[in-house]
Amino acid sequence: MGKIVIPRPPNAVVAEESGCPAVLPFTYNISAFRGRSFEERGLLLHYTPPQEAGPAPKQRPPSDSYLSITYPFTSNELLRDQYQRFSSPFLRVGLLLEDMDSFAADVATRHLGGLPPGYTVVTATVDKVAFATARTAAGAAAAAGADSTTAAAAADEAAGEAAAADVGSPPHKLQRQLPPGWGPAAQQQQQPVSGDSATLQSPLTLHSDLRLAGQVAWAGRTSMEVVVEVSTAAVALPDASAEAAAAEDGELDDAPPAAAAAAAAAAAGASYSRRWLHRAIAHFIMVLRPTGSSSSSSGSSGGVVAVPGVVPGTALEQLHFDAAAERSAANRARRASKRLLTGTEPAGDEVSLLYELAEEQLQRQIQQREEHEALSWAGSASTAGRSPTSMQPPCLGPVPMSRSSQSHLAIMHRQDRNNAGSIFGGHLLRLAAELAYSTAVLHAGRHCEAVAMGDVAFKQPVPIGCVLEMRAKVVYTAGALMRVTVVATKHQQLMEQRSASELQSSVTNDFTFVLAAVGSAPLRPVEPESLREALQHLAAHRQHTSDGYSAPALLLRDGMEHVLLAGEGAAAH
């Protein structure tokens, strides 16, 4: 946790309830399609009003597209119930990703000054979603070098964690489900981290309000990068210390705090303000596309309406702009590469990595054959007279990559449509995230937490009525960290075909998720069994190194299984 990287502009205003449909054309409509009323959930919307009248300008500052939605988990029981994971106080990350996708489309629409007639905005890719991690000074410097837009958050994590120890949780019933000592500060004390490793913060909970904030950071001819930040209202501070806190740890909010905090403040004769702390950041690539277009969502033009350019107005906006431009150039180079799996040929240490994978696999096969021959020769007499305690436990060696594979089939229903009439991308993100979580849990044998998501490509629209098949597998492990890929394939019957056996199948999405297993025990590595799997393993290794993770990988506190599974009654004891 640390400083906010998308601060609220000074001219941002609170939207009236009647104005929400116009400000959030995607989020509001999709919520209505799914029976999740925007008003009943009590969401609070901030936006920057238009600065000009008449034709849309050819260039806009990022602040013009600023939007934020506040989720009042501390005061809205319906909202808590909708987003609660299992019987724990933790947030369903899949639902949050779902909301972030439609929210990014709304931010892009603000940058356009409204949707041009006959056009819509679709998600082309999700470059990355990264949840905040606690790092030492060396780790923070590495994170800042890897992504300049998160430099401010990485540099201030230590201060944010120290302040988070003083958080006063709201007094609703979920509070007592957290075990004693759980939290960033306690976690840091119990689990020191080295300069090249990271520790995942306490997962997002329903103990505090949550805010999505976003703005367009960069724009091409028909595409836009929308930066979305997730923050939580971690603490309420007296006005006397507000200025100092804002300078160090987060962004102060003059919106009223939860009712319990307000009552406590009134009793003490003080006034309180909420402080927002950075928890996650995401980069969505949105594309302006004609409605009804048969082209895919991979970023081709398909129209003549140009997207307004972006003119940064602050130093922080310039950082976002420069980083987004670099990512755009890197993505273009990757798409231009003819190497579908790894982008470039293996070279240097990567060749050694592939050789070592093959050598280790061959050695294990030889050892297994020798052990089998020895057991066959010795027979049952070889273990006569030996107690069970004297026998060595079996070695937990690598698992074939194919054995980690899991699949899910789902019918695409009309209730999950977007404004263009196809399945909206956030629903696909949620399905993929929950399948990746299930795959990770089955491989690890214990609960896992989301660390990051990246390399998400929306290749084709998913129509209503088709059968969507998702296949996930673990392609890389390091310590307690694993990478899970998910591939989505649609199966649909063409209108001109009459035979039910004639289906058209095509890949619609690729996803990559990074998850950390609870506890410090290392995971069993996965072993490629084919050249294709070896290249997938190599691609994951490259991304793992590029993201700045190294052994020991991300570690979570032991004992979290109890929190995730325990109901209210169990947690009360």
Side-chain angles (χ1 to χ4, degrees), residues 306-320:
V307 172
V310 173
V311 182
T314 67
L316 185 56
E317 290 177 352
Q318 187 66 51
L319 283 175
H320 284 295

Side-chain angles (χ1 to χ4, degrees), residues 142-167:
D147 187 348
S148 58
T149 63
T150 59
D156 286 84
E157 279 167 347
E161 291 152 13
D166 298 325
V167 172

Side-chain angles (χ1 to χ4, degrees), residues 20-39 41 102-103 106 115 120 414-421 424:
C20 290
V23 179
L24 299 173
F26 287 88
T27 296
Y28 195 91
N29 287 344
I30 290 173
S31 297
F33 296 158
R34 318 189 85 197
R36 293 163 56 188
S37 169
F38 193 89
E39 292 81 8
R41 293 187 288 168
S102 59
F103 178 74
D106 291 324
L115 289 175
T120 189
R414 184 173 181 272
Q415 290 77 10
D416 299 313
R417 69 189 185 278
N418 57 19
N419 289 0
F424 94 99

Side-chain angles (χ1 to χ4, degrees), residues 250-391:
E251 177 182 282
L252 289 178
D253 187 359
D254 56 2
S271 58
Y272 278 68
S273 297
R274 287 186 298 187
R275 181 167 57 93
W276 295 101
L277 293 177
H278 171 88
R279 295 304 304 271
I281 191 168
H283 307 277
F284 287 79
I285 309 301
M286 313 303 294
V287 175
L288 180 64
R289 187 174 300 281
T291 55
S293 171
S294 59
S295 60
S296 71
S297 301
S298 59
S300 58
S301 169
V304 296
V305 175
V307 172
V310 173
V311 182
T314 67
L316 185 56
E317 290 177 352
Q318 187 66 51
L319 283 175
H320 284 295
F321 181 89
D322 293 341
E326 291 178 4
R327 283 189 292 270
S328 177
N331 289 336
R332 284 197 302 269
R334 184 172 57 179
R335 288 195 298 268
S337 172
K338 296 181 180 180
R339 307 284 178 179
L340 299 180
L341 291 177
T342 62
T344 58
E345 293 182 0
D349 293 341
E350 295 175 343
V351 176
S352 300
L353 174 64
L354 292 176
Y355 177 81
E356 290 171 2
L357 285 172
E359 179 70 17
E360 290 173 0
Q361 185 177 35
L362 180 60
Q363 292 290 346
R364 280 190 296 271
Q365 290 174 350
I366 294 174
Q367 181 181 1
Q368 290 171 359
R369 183 170 64 250
E370 292 176 347
E371 290 176 351
H372 177 73
E373 292 174 353
L375 288 174
S376 299
W377 177 79
S380 59
S382 62
T383 57
R386 299 177 63 184
S387 65
T389 56
S390 66
M391 303 184 65

Side-chain angles (χ1 to χ4, degrees), residues 62-156:
S63 58
D64 276 9
S65 59
Y66 176 88
L67 288 176
S68 73
I69 298 178
T70 302
Y71 292 71
F73 290 125
T74 58
S75 58
N76 192 306
E77 186 174 358
L78 172 64
L79 192 65
R80 291 197 301 271
D81 184 67
Q82 289 179 345
Y83 284 80
Q84 186 177 6
R85 189 203 314 178
F86 311 143
S87 296
S88 75
F90 298 127
L91 182 76
R92 284 183 63 182
V93 175
L95 283 180
L96 181 63
L97 294 174
E98 196 172 72
D99 291 350
M100 291 168 70
D101 181 73
S102 59
F103 178 74
D106 291 324
V107 172
T109 303
R110 296 291 298 175
H111 180 74
L112 295 170
L115 289 175
Y119 284 80
T120 189
V121 169
V122 298
T123 306
T125 62
V126 182
D127 218 28
K128 190 172 185 180
V129 179
F131 292 90
T133 56
R135 299 175 187 266
T136 61
D147 187 348
S148 58
T149 63
T150 59
D156 286 84

Side-chain angles (χ1 to χ4, degrees), residues 488-508:
T489 304
K490 64 179 179 182
H491 306 284
Q492 62 181 134
Q493 181 179 0
L494 300 180
M495 295 300 296
E496 61 271 15
Q497 293 177 343
R498 300 301 180 186
S499 173
S501 62
E502 297 181 21
L503 294 176
Q504 182 186 55
S505 300
S506 54
V507 174
T508 62

